[in-house]
């Protein structure tokens, strides 16, 4: 079994474009956009408070008040998102930190899918090869498994990705990444991002367990383990991804 390691989310990756998603793109009076603002410097969960005020969950223990967001650009949905922010001197209003959001862009966020049995799983979810990238975005935290993966993309067809329980009686925290390319198996390598909500897994009751992820790679079956605790921080170490490719369409 192969185990991946991951870095803290403080390391920043270069994004191809700056997206505003309904918030201001720069806080400088002269609208100068600094180079550092092109980098994602956090992976967050976008949540709503009891009065529908948006806030950001940086990890399981740190909440951020986005001072320039009065409504969520994602409506009532709780989603995982990449963002670039600067810390703000404004009042935290009960959150851990106040931040000014330069841009924020959601990641495809999905629930786990039902295990239908192997024959139906193949028909519905496929089992086309992918590589799970050893990246700071690939992490289990705040009740989600967020994955950066790479595969071949050719004709622009959106690929279908899902996470199912393997229903392993010896390990209830074993899951499998399924990828259906709908025949789009040629072309260049490109990346996709997806986050799966893990609330279908048994509650860890405050304990940290090993979450095992299995997938079909281009060189055969692989697996990785993550530290996982229901809605508690998991912060495994990682190595740096040295090149960033285009982000492709997934559903």
């Amino acid at each position: 079994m192969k185990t991946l390691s991951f870095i803290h989310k403080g390391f920043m990756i270069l994004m191809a474009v700056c997206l505003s998603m309904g918030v201001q793109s720069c806080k400088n009076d002269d609208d100068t956009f600094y180079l550092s603002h092109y980098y994602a410097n956090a992976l967050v969960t976008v949540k709503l408070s009891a009065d529908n005020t948006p806030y950001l969950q940086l990890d399981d223990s740190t909440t951020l008040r986005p001072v320039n967001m009065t409504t969520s650009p994602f409506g009532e949905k709780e989603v995982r998102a990449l963002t670039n922010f600067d810390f703000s001197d404004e009042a935290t209003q009960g959150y851990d930190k106040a931040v000014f959001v330069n841009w924020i862009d959601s990641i495809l966020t999905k629930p786990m899918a039902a295990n239908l049995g192997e024959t139906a799983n193949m028909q519905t979810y496929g089992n086309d090869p992918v590589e799970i990238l050893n990246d700071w975005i690939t992490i289990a935290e705040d009740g989600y498994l967020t994955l950066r993966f790479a595969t071949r993309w050719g004709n622009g067809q959106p690929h279908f990705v899902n996470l199912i329980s393997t229903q392993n009686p010896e390990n209830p925290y074993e899951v499998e990444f399924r990828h259906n390319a709908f025949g789009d198996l040629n072309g260049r390598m490109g990346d996709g991002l997806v986050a799966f909500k893990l609330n279908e897994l048994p509650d860890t009751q405050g304990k940290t367990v090993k979450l095992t992820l299995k997938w079909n790679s281009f060189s055969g079956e692989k697996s990785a383990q993550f530290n996982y605790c229901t809605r508690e921080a998991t912060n495994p170490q990682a190595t740096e991804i040295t090149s960033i490719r285009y982000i492709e369409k997934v559903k």
Side-chain angles (χ1 to χ4, degrees), residues 169-227:
E170 297 181 357
N171 184 5
Y173 301 103
E174 183 178 89
V175 295
E176 186 175 6
F177 182 82
R178 288 292 187 124
H179 167 225
N180 191 339
F182 299 105
D184 184 26
L185 299 174
N186 300 307
R188 60 180 173 80
M189 292 294 290
D191 294 2
L193 298 175
V194 62
F196 297 103
K197 195 167 187 177
L198 300 175
N199 60 336
E200 296 297 323
L201 297 180
D203 195 320
T204 65
Q205 302 297 322
K207 298 179 180 180
T208 298
V209 302
K210 291 297 183 183
L211 174 69
T212 300
L213 172 69
K214 301 176 68 177
W215 71 95
N216 180 34
S217 78
F218 285 91
S219 57
E221 184 176 290
K222 291 183 179 178
S223 66
Q225 288 189 327
F226 301 79
N227 291 328

Side-chain angles (χ1 to χ4, degrees), residues 62-66 87-88 90-92 94-99:
T62 307
T63 57
L64 307 176
R65 177 195 166 220
F87 287 106
S88 170
E90 293 193 30
T92 61
Y95 297 98
D96 294 312
K97 302 286 184 180
V99 296

Side-chain angles (χ1 to χ4, degrees), residues 85-113:
F85 66 79
D86 294 317
F87 287 106
S88 170
D89 292 330
E90 293 193 30
T92 61
Q93 296 184 1
Y95 297 98
D96 294 312
K97 302 286 184 180
V99 296
F100 186 99
V101 176
N102 297 306
W103 60 261
I104 189 166
D105 188 22
S106 65
I107 293 171
L108 174 65
T109 306
K110 304 181 65 172
M112 291 181 63

